[in-house]
Amino acid sequence: MNTIIMARRFGIIMLFAAIFAITFSVAVEHTGRSGAQSHFGASFTCLQTGSPYCTTVQ
């Protein structure tokens, strides 16, 4: 009987951990798409938003 209670508690804790991990990854991914790219410490804004790579005009 004691093992069933521990398994149930472990399942509930893991469910909350999974929900937290999913929401945290969505929040990090959402804030990471700001348009400003960092390349070796130089921060610049992408001019071509349609391409997967950033190019700058010099």
Side-chain angles (χ1 to χ4, degrees):
M1 188 67 180
N2 207 7
T3 328
I4 296 172
I5 294 171
M6 293 296 288
R8 187 183 308 153
R9 289 179 182 173
F10 183 73
I12 292 170
I13 290 171
M14 289 299 109
L15 180 66
F16 281 125
I19 292 171
F20 172 76
I22 290 170
T23 55
F24 186 73
S25 67
V26 167
V28 168
E29 184 179 345
H30 179 68
T31 57
R33 296 184 182 186
S34 64
Q37 298 288 325
S38 177
H39 183 70
F40 297 109
S43 181
F44 56 88
T45 304
C46 289
L47 298 176
Q48 296 177 347
T49 56
S51 76
Y53 301 105
C54 245
T55 57
T56 60
V57 177
Q58 297 182 6

